[in-house]
Amino acid sequence: IVSVLAAFGRNDLRNVRRDSILVTVVIGPFAYAAAVWLVPALNRHTATTYGSDLERYYPAITSSFQVMGPLMLLGAMCGLLLLEDKDQHTLAALRVTPVPIRVYVLYRGAVTVVLTATSVVATLALSPIVPPRLLAAAIPIGALAGLGAVLVGLLMAAAADNKVEGMAIIRAIGVLVFVIPHIPFFADFSLPTELLFGIVPSYWPAKAMWQAMNGGVMWPYLLVGAVY
């Protein structure tokens, strides 16, 4: 099994190195993290110029750039690698080898979860607007975001026949992942009604992040999101 997983890993690294789109996707979460460093300066500017304080929007900014950003980008990478293996007939070749196809599926899902969780934790640790006390909460939030990234990758690979179609489909998925879960942050919904937005899986790690930053209880949202 170890040699098989190592072979999968070498194949992924080869695909990433030769594809500029995949390289961009890999570094994307850190570009988002760098963008967040501009937020305090922007807040000072708006406070001085317009008398408006952006701090009340910090939870939404954090969930957008540092939770959903890695979820979306690394989910897209998962989908693109699945489509690449499909184009190269890797999946067809696996069917005539002693390696069960479920090993490949578990490998692809586990790598996506680990990379997404690591990116979320790293970007939150480097964030100027996230208090250090929340770094422990970043670990389960990152893991839940990783599960969401797997869903994004599977949906992208299931709906597209090739990488060109995949890039078009991921834009539509991005609207669902980014926009819909943030509606409850800006609109006033009672809690039972707000949970309807949980149909979109990215709502759960985003809501957990809001709760953590606002001093609320995040565990119910993490548990329900993981089960869902």
Side-chain angles (χ1 to χ4, degrees), residues 177-189:
V177 170
F178 275 99
V179 177
I180 293 179
H182 278 98
I183 293 175
F185 185 90
F186 297 98
D188 186 16
F189 290 97

Side-chain angles (χ1 to χ4, degrees), residues 158-219:
D161 290 327
N162 52 61
K163 288 197 294 184
V164 175
E165 289 184 10
M167 293 304 297
I169 289 170
I170 202 65
R171 290 172 181 163
I173 296 174
V175 174
L176 294 175
V177 170
F178 275 99
V179 177
I180 293 179
H182 278 98
I183 293 175
F185 185 90
F186 297 98
D188 186 16
F189 290 97
S190 60
L191 189 55
T193 303
E194 181 183 329
L195 294 179
L196 293 175
F197 290 90
I199 294 174
V200 180
S202 56
Y203 164 83
W204 301 101
K207 180 66 175 183
M209 191 74 245
W210 304 339
Q211 290 291 102
M213 293 190 71
N214 290 327
V217 179
M218 69 173 186
W219 293 107

Side-chain angles (χ1 to χ4, degrees), residues 54-79:
L54 297 180
E55 285 192 17
R56 64 182 181 275
Y57 300 114
Y58 280 6
I61 294 171
T62 300
S63 63
S64 295
F65 285 87
Q66 297 170 287
V67 177
M68 293 187 186
L71 184 161
M72 191 65 203
L73 289 172
L74 293 170
M77 185 181 75
C78 174

Side-chain angles (χ1 to χ4, degrees), residues 66-224:
Q66 297 170 287
V67 177
M68 293 187 186
L71 184 161
M72 191 65 203
L73 289 172
L74 293 170
M77 185 181 75
C78 174
L80 288 171
L81 288 173
L82 282 168
L83 291 170
E84 183 75 20
D85 287 340
K86 183 178 175 182
D87 290 342
Q88 294 177 350
H89 306 292
T90 301
L91 300 182
L94 280 176
R95 295 183 183 277
V96 296
T97 68
V99 181
I101 194 69
R102 64 177 177 272
V103 173
Y104 171 84
V105 175
L106 290 173
Y107 161 81
R108 180 66 63 218
V111 167
T112 302
V113 170
V114 170
L115 288 178
T116 305
T118 302
S119 295
V120 170
V121 173
T123 55
L124 290 176
L126 296 172
S127 174
I129 64 175
V130 176
R133 62 179 174 81
L134 296 183
L135 293 185
I139 297 173
I141 291 173
L144 185 56
L147 294 177
V150 174
L151 292 179
V152 169
L154 292 175
L155 179 59
M156 178 180 173
D161 290 327
N162 52 61
K163 288 197 294 184
V164 175
E165 289 184 10
M167 293 304 297
I169 289 170
I170 202 65
R171 290 172 181 163
I173 296 174
V175 174
L176 294 175
V177 170
F178 275 99
V179 177
I180 293 179
H182 278 98
I183 293 175
F185 185 90
F186 297 98
D188 186 16
F189 290 97
S190 60
L191 189 55
T193 303
E194 181 183 329
L195 294 179
L196 293 175
F197 290 90
I199 294 174
V200 180
S202 56
Y203 164 83
W204 301 101
K207 180 66 175 183
M209 191 74 245
W210 304 339
Q211 290 291 102
M213 293 190 71
N214 290 327
V217 179
M218 69 173 186
W219 293 107
Y221 300 97
L222 291 172
L223 292 175
V224 173

